[in-house]
Amino acid sequence: MSSEPTSEPTGADEAIGFDDLTRDIAEVPAVEVITTVAVHLMSAAAVKCGLAEGGAADKDLDEARKLITALAGLVTAGAPEISNFHAAPLRDGLRSLQLAFREASLVPDAPGTGPGEKFTGPVYS
């Protein structure tokens, strides 16, 4: 008998199917969907602000502006529905991204005109 690994699926691999690893969207609470989408927007915005591993190579402030504005709209509209417990960290992350955007900009936006500030109000450091 050879001890080399085979590419043949084992019984255990066949027993766990894709359907077993996914949840039906109907089972996911709204608060989880909203926070998950917000975290994805935050992560993408951070990358586009040049805050991720790639740094300046991934920096694209036009894209970051769009993502931060979408995040601000989601957080502002969703906050009353998901409770302050869930909304507060999202607001903090949003504010941090707005400040990072302002810092990364060569010509900063006037207070109240930065990304998402039409939803959150002016953001000051």
Side-chain angles (χ1 to χ4, degrees):
M1 303 253 349
S2 171
S3 62
E4 294 180 27
T6 64
S7 61
E8 296 293 317
T10 65
D13 292 335
E14 292 173 357
I16 300 175
F18 180 75
D19 292 336
D20 297 326
L21 300 175
T22 61
R23 288 195 290 178
D24 184 9
I25 194 70
E27 297 172 10
V28 182
V31 67
E32 189 174 329
V33 173
I34 293 167
T35 55
T36 299
V37 170
V39 168
H40 284 289
L41 287 168
M42 276 187 207
S43 298
V47 169
K48 296 300 183 181
C49 282
L51 301 175
E53 208 173 288
D58 295 327
K59 189 174 174 180
D60 184 339
L61 295 181
D62 183 52
E63 291 290 303
R65 179 183 297 278
K66 293 170 188 171
L67 292 162
I68 294 169
T69 299
L71 174 63
L74 176 64
V75 170
T76 302
E81 305 299 326
I82 63 173
S83 81
N84 195 49
F85 176 78
H86 295 286
L90 298 178
R91 283 190 202 105
D92 291 344
L94 170 59
R95 182 175 186 280
S96 295
L97 285 168
Q98 288 171 313
L99 291 171
F101 182 93
R102 185 174 300 280
E103 187 175 304
S105 298
L106 293 176
V107 181
D109 297 313
T113 62
E117 291 183 6
K118 67 182 174 184
F119 299 112
T120 64
V123 175
Y124 302 99
S125 52

